[in-house]
């Protein structure tokens, strides 16, 4: 018999997480939730183009969810936490797996996005903290008024430094999605000659839509397309 | 033609290695890459120097013995072949090449360009047995096999275990190799009885041996001399996840077990 025993119960859950496949499945499942969120978040924010009433009403609607909002936040925070923790452990594993680097190494198939997941991830994470302090709690916002989301967005983005950081972070987010959105299917075991090319196309489309949508808001504020009425 | 070679020289598994520069003055375009190294080694032997150690056996791309990095790519620039099938006609006079062993914690360097790939054997062994009758050959068509499954199983079985997938992987993952082995048994009826258990054990063993994880970069698929597809890696993930989620204790009812 094999030297590896298959245990039951809690041991098995630990063994699942310990294996490289189990960790990747967790990356994929949490990534699935998070990329669903970024698309929804972007789509909701597009209401900024419909004026202050529309956007502020949308914000009220979300706040009106009460306990539901906190439940959603809890799930997202859990997913983000697991995604980051697993990514960190995988990154350490990667360094362990090849202690001596190549003198010369060529890359012939890996995309830029795939190579930079470990860099785009932490930068997006840092951006996320700034973003929450900026528009949710108002800690890093120059003139935060709770409830007046439209005004907060316009005033916040009139600072070119903040806008540039948003744009850079969202380009990185798009690059992260470019690899992540098809990669999560592969990690969960979905690969078929008929569907995988379509999933790769979906990932490209997803990255462009989320990236362009998010970057358009600071650009629209800086160019005066949005928020001309705000003093 | 003249070929300049920068080769990783390492006396043994414990010593530190370094790149050394050699010149092969009159390599013929008709030589295979390994024959060109043979010429270099004869020259080194004549001069009383230690010849460059590299692994080779069949020299026709079917045994999986040979393989090292040429300019950062396992088996060199030609796709779908091992380094023994690469010929010098692809190079021109004065080319400078960098030869290094496959690098991974699970593949310790033994000497120069030769690495210990027995971690692969241990992963195979961890998969355990399959339940087939030994003895005389089974009746033809006694066990129906779906044509497309047979094709996919044979494609996976083409893996020669050279280790190029591990060498090229940015994470030194053995996923392509292990998934090919899991697929070639898992797709056939003979492999069904132990399918879940095999996937679970081989994945755990692969982790234990110190191989990295798969980031779906696709580098392995691009360098594989046998054209193994990363579709197999998805199948390995599927089998592993199914095994992990559907596990149950063996029944003790009625005095069984």
């Amino acid at each position: 018999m094999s030297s590896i025993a298959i245990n039951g119960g809690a041991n098995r859950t630990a063994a699942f997480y310990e294996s490289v496949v189990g960790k990747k499945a967790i990356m994929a499942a949490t990534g699935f939730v998070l990329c669903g969120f970024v698309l929804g978040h972007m789509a909701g924010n597009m209401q900024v183009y419909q004026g202050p009433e529309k956007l502020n009403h949308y914000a009220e609607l979300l706040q009106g969810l009460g306990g539901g909002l906190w439940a959603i936040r809890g799930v997202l925070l859990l997913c983000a936490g697991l995604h980051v923790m697993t990514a960190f452990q995988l990154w350490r594993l990667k360094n362990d797996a090849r202690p001596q680097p190549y003198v010369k190494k060529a890359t012939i198939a890996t995309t830029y996005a795939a190579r930079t997941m470990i860099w785009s991830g932490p930068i997006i994470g840092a951006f996320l903290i700034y973003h929450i302090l900026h528009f949710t709690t108002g800690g890093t916002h120059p003139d935060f008024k709770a409830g007046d989301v439209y005004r907060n967005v316009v005033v916040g983005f009139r600072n070119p430094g903040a806008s540039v950081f948003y744009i850079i972070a969202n380009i990185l987010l798009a690059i992260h999605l470019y690899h992540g959105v098809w990669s999560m299917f592969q990690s969960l075991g979905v690969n078929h000659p008929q569907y995988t090319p379509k999933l790769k196309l979906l990932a490209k489309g997803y990255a462009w839509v989320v990236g362009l949508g998010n970057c358009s808001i600071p650009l629209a504020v800086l160019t005066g397309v949005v928020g001309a009425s705000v003093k | 033609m003249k070929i300049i070679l920068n080769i990783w020289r390492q006396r043994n598994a414990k010593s530190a290695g370094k790149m050394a520069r050699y010149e092969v003055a009159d390599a013929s375009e008709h030589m295979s890459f390994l024959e060109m190294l043979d010429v270099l080694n004869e020259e080194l032997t004549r001069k009383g120097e230690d010849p460059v150690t590299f692994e080779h056996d069949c020299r026709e791309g079917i045994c999986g013995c040979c393989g090292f990095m040429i300019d950062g790519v396992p088996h060199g620039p030609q796709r779908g072949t091992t380094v023994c099938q690469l010929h010098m006609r692809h190079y021109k006079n004065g080319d400078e090449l960098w030869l290094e062993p496959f690098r991974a914690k699970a593949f310790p360097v033994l000497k120069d360009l030769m690495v210990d790939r027995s971690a692969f054997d241990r992963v195979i062994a961890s998969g355990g047995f399959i339940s087939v009758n030994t003895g005389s050959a089974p009746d033809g068509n006694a066990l129906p096999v779906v044509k497309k499954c047979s094709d996919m199983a044979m494609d996976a079985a083409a893996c020669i275990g050279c280790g190029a997938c591990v060498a090229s992987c940015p994470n030194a993952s053995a996923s392509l190799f292990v998934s090919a082995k899991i697929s070639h048994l898992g797709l056939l009826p003979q492999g069904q009885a132990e399918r879940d258990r095999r996937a679970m054990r081989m994945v755990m063993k692969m982790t234990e041996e110190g191989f990295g994880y798969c980031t779906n970069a696709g580098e392995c698929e691009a360098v594989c001399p046998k054209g193994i597809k990363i579709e197999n890696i998805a199948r390995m993930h599927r089998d592993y996840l199914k095994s992990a989620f559907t596990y149950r204790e063996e029944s003790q009812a009625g005095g069984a077990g």
Side-chain angles (χ1 to χ4, degrees), chain B residues 206-221:
Chain B
M206 158 176 91
T207 309
E208 191 188 298
E209 288 288 343
F211 291 108
Y213 55 96
C214 177
T215 49
N216 310 322
E219 205 67 22
C220 53
E221 183 181 66

Side-chain angles (χ1 to χ4, degrees), chain A residues 12 97-98 108 110 183 187 189, chain B residues 103 105 216 219 237-238 244:
Chain A
R12 222 160 48 78
R98 182 170 291 135
I108 56 178
T110 315
S183 178
S187 292
Chain B
R103 294 201 189 280
K105 181 178 138 197
N216 310 322
E219 205 67 22
H237 282 227
R238 213 151 62 219

Side-chain angles (χ1 to χ4, degrees), chain A residues 4 12 16 19-20 24 90 94 96-98 100 102-110 179 183 186-187 189 191, chain B residues 8 69 72 100 103 105 166-169 171 201 207 213-217 219 230 234 237-238 240 244 247:
Chain A
I4 300 168
R12 222 160 48 78
F16 175 78
S19 83
V20 287
K24 284 297 291 185
L90 285 171
K94 166 200 173 99
D96 287 350
R98 182 170 291 135
Q100 180 155 18
Y102 285 108
V103 175
K104 195 166 179 169
K105 176 79 171 77
T107 298
I108 56 178
T110 315
H179 179 71
S183 178
Q186 166 82 10
S187 292
N191 186 323
Chain B
W8 183 262
M69 308 293 276
E100 272 184 272
R103 294 201 189 280
K105 181 178 138 197
V166 175
S168 67
C169 178
N171 316 301
R201 286 182 172 149
T207 309
Y213 55 96
C214 177
T215 49
N216 310 322
E219 205 67 22
I230 61 169
H237 282 227
R238 213 151 62 219
Y240 177 80
Y247 171 85

Side-chain angles (χ1 to χ4, degrees), chain A residues 121-146:
Chain A
I123 299 170
I124 294 164
F127 162 75
L128 200 62
I129 293 168
Y130 170 71
H131 179 48
I132 290 169
L133 291 174
H134 197 206
F135 284 147
T136 308
T137 66
T140 58
H141 195 281
D143 185 18
F144 187 78
K145 289 210 169 62

Side-chain angles (χ1 to χ4, degrees), chain B residues 54-221:
Chain B
F54 59 92
E55 230 182 316
H56 61 101
D57 190 12
C58 76
R59 296 207 178 192
E60 54 186 27
I62 56 170
C63 75
C65 251
C66 70
F68 45 79
M69 308 293 276
I70 303 176
D71 287 344
V73 179
H75 298 303
Q78 193 169 256
R79 299 280 66 84
T81 52
T82 52
V83 70
C84 62
Q85 296 169 287
L86 177 67
H87 282 75
M88 294 313 293
R89 58 176 172 270
H90 298 289
Y91 294 98
K92 57 182 196 302
N93 189 32
D95 274 356
E96 182 168 5
L97 308 175
W98 298 73
L99 313 188
E100 272 184 272
F102 290 169
R103 294 201 189 280
K105 181 178 138 197
F107 283 175
V109 175
L110 294 175
K111 189 173 190 302
D112 300 339
L113 301 176
M114 186 189 198
V115 298
D116 178 2
R117 286 169 292 188
S118 53
F120 270 7
D121 301 336
R122 291 190 291 274
V123 171
I124 298 266
S126 74
F129 56 84
I130 60 163
S131 300
V132 288
N133 290 331
T134 54
S136 57
D139 288 343
N141 298 324
L143 192 60
V145 182
V146 179
K147 172 71 165 67
K148 64 178 182 185
C149 293
S150 153
D151 288 349
M152 287 191 289
M154 290 306 136
D155 287 348
C159 169
I160 52 175
C162 65
C165 45
V166 175
S168 67
C169 178
N171 316 301
S173 169
S175 288
L176 194 69
F177 166 80
V178 179
S179 70
K181 300 303 168 194
I182 284 176
S183 291
H184 101 238
L185 293 173
L187 283 162
L188 294 173
Q190 291 90 339
Q192 293 312 304
E194 300 84 11
R195 182 174 182 175
D196 284 3
R197 190 164 67 182
R198 182 167 50 244
M200 172 71 80
R201 286 182 172 149
M202 289 175 83
V203 166
M204 296 311 286
K205 189 66 184 172
M206 158 176 91
T207 309
E208 191 188 298
E209 288 288 343
F211 291 108
Y213 55 96
C214 177
T215 49
N216 310 322
E219 205 67 22
C220 53
E221 183 181 66

